[in-house]
């Protein structure tokens, strides 16, 4: 069956689309929220057992309709088959290298540093190229901040819970973003999304929309901290 979506796959920076086209049967990308890593699965028809396995930890980037929808590393390869049912090869990738330095314990501290400076230091030690922090968070200053045996992932998750932010690692970069301000980490406004069932033209087959959540929206927050000078 011919593809109905334009797609492109690069492996370690090399465009593999032409070589994959006769064998690739499906692409599944899951864009997860928060600290959970994105995942991608590429399914191949390996009926003749002729496909070469990708290198462990290879960099993978996937485009759909000229939009990059996934960037990560190969995490698993699984061959499936049974008598009379052919053979398939499934390549799974994660949004970050789970065997890399992002999960290694860090041990450092900074005095009189902003959140941007602190995360830049941690990201560098974790082998990442950088971290994007939204404007409303980047300038938060603390007289002392440290990472004592926690990984970059745990550190980012902890700060995100404290600050009411969203933290995510994708490829070799991380993002720390305020929630609910209607802006992307770059500062640009997020585009509005409209779903108009009254304009039903025959293409919509079903929908499932939940516009409200039972949890309240807090306007204020209280944070406890330890005052070293007052010892309280």
């Amino acid at each position: 069956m011919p593809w109905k979506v334009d797609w492109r796959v690069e492996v370690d920076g090399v465009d593999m689309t032409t070589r994959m086209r006769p064998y690739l049967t499906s692409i599944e990308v899951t864009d997860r929220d928060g600290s959970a890593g994105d995942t991608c699965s590429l399914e191949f028809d390996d009926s003749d057992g002729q496909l070469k396995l990708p290198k462990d930890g290879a960099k993978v980037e996937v485009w759909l309709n000229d939009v990059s929808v996934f960037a990560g590393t190969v995490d698993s390869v699984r061959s499936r088959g049974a008598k009379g049912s052919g053979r398939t090869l499934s390549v799974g990738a994660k949004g970050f290298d789970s065997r890399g330095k992002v999960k290694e314990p860090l041990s450092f501290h900074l005095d009189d540093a902003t959140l941007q400076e602190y995360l830049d230091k941690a990201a560098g030690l974790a082998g990442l190229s950088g971290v994007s922090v939204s404007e409303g968070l980047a300038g938060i200053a603390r007289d002392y901040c440290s990472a004592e045996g926690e990984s970059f992932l745990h550190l980012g998750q902890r700060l995100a819970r404290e600050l009411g932010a969203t933290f995510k690692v994708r490829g070799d970069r991380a993002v720390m973003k305020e929630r609910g301000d209607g802006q992307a980490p770059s500062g640009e406004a997020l585009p509005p999304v409209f779903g108009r069932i009254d304009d039903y033209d025959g293409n919509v087959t079903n929908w499932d929309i939940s516009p409200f959540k039972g949890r309240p929206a807090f306007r204020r927050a209280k944070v406890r901290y330890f005052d070293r000078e007052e010892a309280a």
Side-chain angles (χ1 to χ4, degrees):
M1 181 181 295
W3 282 84
K4 297 182 180 180
V5 177
D6 290 331
W7 59 273
R8 186 167 92 252
V9 177
E10 286 188 2
V11 179
D12 283 336
V14 179
D15 191 340
M16 300 293 291
T17 306
T18 301
R19 278 173 276 186
M20 287 183 176
R21 193 174 298 278
Y23 309 103
L24 186 63
T25 59
S26 70
I27 299 173
E28 181 177 345
V29 175
T30 303
D31 188 354
R32 301 181 184 275
D33 61 346
S35 58
D38 298 341
T39 60
C40 176
S41 177
L42 305 174
E43 196 83 12
F44 296 89
D45 177 6
D46 192 23
S47 300
D48 298 324
Q50 74 278 32
L51 297 183
K52 182 180 178 181
L53 296 181
K55 182 177 66 176
D56 183 34
K59 303 294 183 183
V60 178
E61 189 161 5
V62 178
W63 283 264
L64 297 178
N65 289 337
D66 294 326
V67 176
S68 177
V69 296
F70 177 82
T73 61
V74 172
D75 185 69
S76 64
V77 179
R78 182 181 295 273
S79 176
R80 295 184 179 91
K83 185 176 181 180
S85 64
R87 182 188 301 185
T88 62
L89 187 70
S90 179
V91 178
K94 288 187 177 180
F96 60 87
D97 187 357
S98 60
R99 290 159 292 189
K101 298 176 69 175
V102 292
K103 299 184 74 174
E104 291 183 1
L106 301 177
S107 180
F108 75 96
H109 80 276
L110 293 177
D111 296 317
D112 299 318
T114 64
L115 182 62
Q116 181 73 66
E117 293 170 337
Y118 178 47
L119 289 176
D120 283 341
K121 174 74 172 180
L125 293 174
L128 302 181
S129 64
V131 53
S132 298
V133 184
S134 57
E135 185 177 351
L137 300 175
I140 294 177
R142 293 181 177 178
D143 57 0
Y144 179 85
C145 47
S146 67
E148 300 178 1
E150 59 184 339
S151 69
F152 180 73
L153 285 179
H154 292 152
L155 180 152
Q157 293 167 7
R158 171 173 60 80
L159 289 173
R161 289 193 297 267
E162 291 180 9
L163 302 172
T166 294
F167 171 76
K168 190 169 188 176
V169 178
R170 187 186 187 201
D172 65 347
R173 291 194 62 83
V175 172
M176 180 74 74
K177 176 73 182 67
E178 289 177 285
R179 295 177 185 168
D181 63 353
Q183 293 183 334
S186 63
E188 299 179 357
L190 294 174
V193 178
F194 299 95
R196 297 180 60 89
I197 307 304
D198 55 337
D199 286 344
Y200 175 72
D201 59 4
N203 291 325
V204 178
T205 59
N206 59 72
W207 61 87
D208 186 349
I209 300 174
S210 178
F212 302 105
K213 292 290 185 181
R215 290 173 291 181
F218 295 101
R219 295 188 177 183
R220 296 182 179 180
K222 181 183 294 186
V223 179
R224 299 183 65 183
Y225 74 99
F226 182 75
D227 189 321
R228 292 177 177 271
E229 294 183 358
E230 298 293 334

